[in-house]
Amino acid sequence: MSTTWYICKYTPVELLDALGGTCQVLDHMPENFERSDEVSHPNLCGFGKAVIEACMEGRVKELVLVNCCDTIRSAYDVLLAHGKLDFLFLMDMLHCGDSCARQRTKAELLRLAEAYAAYKGTKFQLQRFRDAFHPWTPPVGPYLSVLGGRVGEELFSMMEQTMPLPVRNDTCVHNRSVCPPPEELTDFDSLMDWYAGELLGQMPCMRMTDAGGRKRLYQDPNLRGVIYHTVKFCDYYGFEYSKLRHELTVPMLKLESDYTIQSSGQLRTRLEAFAEGLTPQDREKGTRTMTGAGYYVGIDSGSTSTDVAILDRDKRIVAQVILPTGAGAAAGAQRALEQALEQAGLKQEDISATVTTGYGRSAIQQGDKSITEITCHAKGAHFLDPEVRTIIDIGGQDSKVIRVDEQGNVVNFVMNDKCAAGTGRFLELMARTLELSMDEMSAAGLSWKEDITISSMCTVFAESEVVSLIAQNKSRADIIHGLNESVASKTCALCRRIGGEPVYMMTGGVSKNKGVAQAIERRLGAELRISEQAQLNGALGAALFALELDQ
């Protein structure tokens, strides 16, 4: 039996069922948009491309769309032009629920019923129509809500796996709730008139003019947190997110995806960090029986370096090692750990607990527990300086800003890991272009004279811009100052997004770059505190968590 796919909660799935259809939500996230990019505009939103991709690769043969936005209209035009589907229909619905919208929706229901019945070769079955209604009932007890733009099934599954509470999908096509028709209604025309009103009477999505009714979604006393998802190039839900930032009293995580599974690793890190904030790590203290001689290891496996810190029971650092990660996270971690043990004069059996963190944490087998770098950086920074409230960490492949409270718990965080611009790799590439070492580049940027602006947001284009400036005979110091300002601009934008406030601490390898640090200080108008253990901070936080496992 063929499946009729749909994308919108206003789709009349009960009507399609009554006409012999079997309906299913289309929310699969593809690996890429190879086929879609061949036939559609590159700035189409990720979901629109995902719909086209599924159809062009042959997964979808029957599709009912609703004119949610210009993207869906564009997707319809593309699919209509290429003729890949057996059945394609676009419902034209108004963006409100008044009497005029009801009449319009009824007319569209009649138009769809005629087209679908002709395609299926069936007639409307009243009892099947009644049996197709399955009113949505909310879960009982505390839960987390996923709000915003639609979430692919793969991403939602990841949310369910990582969150400590049940997760409810309150995005576009979900929480659909249409009640069964009254028994006295048997006439098809009267049923469609009633049905149009019921479809429009659901919890509104952001396309509707009465979207203010969505407040019911986040005023539930059982709500414990919100994951707010948006799709790249979609502006609809950005307005609601800005509003919720000021109205919500529960924790909220902002996620953006391009609706592919390519960014799964970064998205999982954000989700796990959010989950750790909902269930503070100190709840797990003393839950394990430890052996060893009372030494605790933290391993931070990053894209550029692998850092290891070993603490004793008194939280004193007895060894610290920073090595290039190399080709494999597990092998890099083992090398760094061996050097740290040798430095401290210890053996593996002396270690009571090990906690891993960083992007490579899941590949390291010897850890007792894995904790995200967000939570570990907060832990380490609070240990180094309890007055710190905002942590700026610029690593090899990402930048992140973390806000913490008086106890060092994560209040909010934001990451920029979709592009190398503003990261350690960005600076490394520019140093090679300028034929300088990182230390030479750090020092050279302090003696600038001309204020040069590096305007390109992309690392590749920025490199071309630097090459052009070299050709113009601009001094290295001035070019480096422009690069430092570019990094500072991106970093401070992240600070503003989460309401960063003093005291500020800078961690990560880029904290050694005095030019970048000074540029950030100028833009913040505040001092950056930089510890001697700045680059070790993530590993230090992990080691502190390892110690707590034994207390």
Side-chain angles (χ1 to χ4, degrees):
M1 182 179 293
S2 60
T3 298
T4 300
W5 299 86
Y6 69 100
I7 65 162
C8 176
K9 69 193 296 181
Y10 296 102
T11 306
V13 294
E14 294 85 4
L15 174 61
L16 298 173
D17 191 281
L19 291 166
T22 301
C23 299
Q24 187 171 336
V25 175
L26 178 57
D27 56 4
H28 170 67
M29 299 173 72
E31 291 187 8
N32 55 55
F33 299 129
E34 181 178 353
R35 297 172 182 84
S36 174
D37 285 341
E38 292 177 0
V39 297
S40 63
H41 192 280
N43 285 344
L44 208 64
C45 88
F47 175 70
K49 288 185 177 182
V51 170
I52 296 173
E53 190 73 21
C55 296
M56 298 300 287
E57 69 181 12
R59 292 184 66 250
V60 172
K61 289 298 185 180
E62 301 172 8
L63 179 63
V64 176
L65 301 172
V66 174
N67 63 330
C68 304
C69 59
D70 289 342
T71 285
I72 301 305
R73 288 183 179 275
S74 296
Y76 172 79
D77 291 339
V78 169
L79 295 172
L80 186 65
H82 286 269
K84 293 283 186 179
L85 302 183
D86 296 334
F87 183 81
L88 175 65
F89 193 93
L90 176 68
M91 287 190 66
D92 185 24
M93 296 182 65
L94 301 182
H95 289 212
C96 61
D98 60 17
S99 59
C100 180
R102 181 168 174 165
Q103 292 176 19
R104 177 68 175 181
T105 300
K106 178 183 176 182
E108 288 295 280
L109 292 174
L110 296 174
R111 189 170 70 93
L112 173 59
E114 182 180 3
Y116 197 69
Y119 165 71
K120 286 287 189 181
T122 57
K123 293 183 179 180
F124 178 80
Q125 300 179 46
L126 177 58
Q127 191 55 51
R128 183 162 177 165
F129 181 67
R130 293 187 183 280
D131 294 342
F133 287 85
H134 304 287
W136 174 78
T137 54
V140 178
Y143 69 96
L144 303 174
S145 174
V146 185
L147 291 171
R150 65 187 68 246
V151 172
E153 58 187 11
E154 295 81 0
L155 180 53
F156 185 72
S157 176
M158 190 188 302
M159 293 174 181
E160 290 183 307
Q161 293 168 14
T162 54
M163 291 300 119
L165 291 171
V167 183
R168 192 174 91 185
N169 194 339
D170 288 322
T171 60
C172 300
V173 69
H174 294 275
N175 72 35
R176 187 178 184 278
S177 183
V178 184
C179 296
E183 289 294 330
E184 62 269 18
L185 280 182
T186 57
D187 174 65
F188 181 72
D189 187 76
S190 299
L191 274 173
M192 292 303 102
D193 186 62
W194 165 87
Y195 191 34
E198 287 298 307
L199 286 172
L200 293 172
Q202 299 180 77
M203 180 76 69
C205 70
M206 280 297 294
R207 74 186 290 277
M208 307 300 281
T209 56
D210 59 344
R214 289 169 58 82
K215 283 187 175 182
R216 287 173 286 166
L217 286 172
Y218 46 88
Q219 291 181 340
D220 188 333
N222 285 321
L223 181 65
R224 295 294 183 269
V226 167
I227 302 171
Y228 203 94
H229 178 254
T230 59
V231 180
K232 188 176 181 182
F233 295 128
C234 176
D235 296 327
Y236 266 112
Y237 288 88
F239 303 111
E240 184 177 53
Y241 169 71
S242 298
K243 184 178 182 182
L244 288 185
R245 284 181 61 191
H246 303 289
E247 292 186 2
L248 275 184
T249 58
V250 295
M252 178 168 63
L253 171 67
K254 171 69 156 50
L255 285 183
E256 181 182 86
S257 75
D258 62 358
Y259 220 83
T260 71
I261 60 175
Q262 293 182 351
S263 300
S264 296
Q266 294 92 334
L267 292 173
R268 183 176 290 276
T269 294
R270 287 172 164 86
L271 290 168
E272 289 177 350
F274 185 63
E276 289 164 358
L278 295 171
T279 54
Q281 299 297 315
D282 59 10
R283 293 182 187 178
E284 300 187 21
K285 293 179 182 180
T287 58
R288 305 183 183 204
T289 301
M290 297 295 177
T291 58
Y295 292 95
Y296 307 91
V297 174
I299 303 176
D300 183 0
S301 176
S303 61
T304 302
S305 69
T306 296
D307 315 330
V308 173
I310 301 180
L311 301 180
D312 63 16
R313 291 190 188 276
D314 296 320
K315 300 183 181 179
R316 291 179 298 209
I317 300 175
V318 299
Q320 51 183 306
V321 169
I322 297 173
L323 290 179
T325 295
Q334 186 60 41
R335 287 196 308 272
L337 177 57
E338 288 173 357
Q339 286 198 22
L341 290 171
E342 182 180 353
Q343 185 184 118
L346 299 172
K347 298 179 181 179
Q348 182 66 55
E349 51 265 32
D350 295 324
I351 303 304
S352 295
T354 300
V355 168
T356 60
T357 190
Y359 278 126
R361 64 189 182 277
S362 59
I364 302 171
Q365 301 300 317
Q366 62 261 48
D368 295 290
K369 185 174 178 59
S370 178
I371 299 175
T372 66
E373 57 268 35
I374 303 295
T375 306
C376 286
H377 270 275
K379 188 76 167 179
H382 182 73
F383 174 76
L384 293 172
D385 189 343
E387 293 183 343
V388 168
R389 295 294 175 268
T390 305
I391 304 153
I392 297 172
D393 176 67
I394 304 180
Q397 74 175 16
D398 71 19
S399 300
K400 46 187 166 284
V401 179
I402 309 162
R403 280 185 54 207
V404 297
D405 60 19
E406 293 82 358
Q407 286 75 44
N409 298 315
V410 176
V411 174
N412 198 359
F413 68 92
V414 64
M415 300 173 67
N416 175 32
D417 56 6
K418 296 180 181 177
C419 175
T423 68
R425 287 206 185 280
F426 171 81
L427 292 171
E428 286 178 3
L429 178 59
M430 298 308 155
R432 287 200 298 269
T433 303
L434 292 165
E435 299 181 343
L436 295 172
S437 69
M438 293 299 290
D439 289 339
E440 290 171 335
M441 185 174 178
S442 174
L446 300 175
S447 57
W448 60 281
K449 294 181 180 179
E450 182 182 352
D451 198 354
I452 292 177
T453 300
I454 306 295
S455 57
S456 298
M457 298 295 289
C458 170
T459 300
V460 177
F461 293 154
E463 182 184 16
S464 299
E465 198 169 343
V466 168
V467 171
S468 176
L469 290 169
I470 293 172
Q472 296 173 38
N473 210 27
K474 298 292 184 180
S475 76
R476 284 179 174 176
D478 294 341
I479 295 172
I480 294 169
H481 170 68
L483 293 168
N484 293 343
E485 290 294 332
S486 177
V487 173
S489 174
K490 294 175 177 64
T491 303
C492 292
L494 294 179
C495 281
R496 289 191 292 272
R497 279 175 59 183
I498 64 166
E501 57 186 25
V503 171
Y504 292 93
M505 173 180 280
M506 187 174 180
T507 63
V510 179
S511 64
K512 296 179 179 179
N513 190 312
K514 295 181 180 179
V516 171
Q518 288 183 9
I520 293 174
E521 286 180 326
R522 284 194 296 271
R523 288 178 177 268
L524 289 178
E527 174 195 6
L528 283 177
R529 296 186 182 178
I530 303 176
S531 167
E532 292 182 1
Q533 280 79 36
Q535 189 170 353
L536 196 71
N537 187 60
L540 176 59
L544 289 165
F545 279 123
L547 187 150
E548 290 182 354
L549 291 175
D550 197 22
Q551 292 181 344

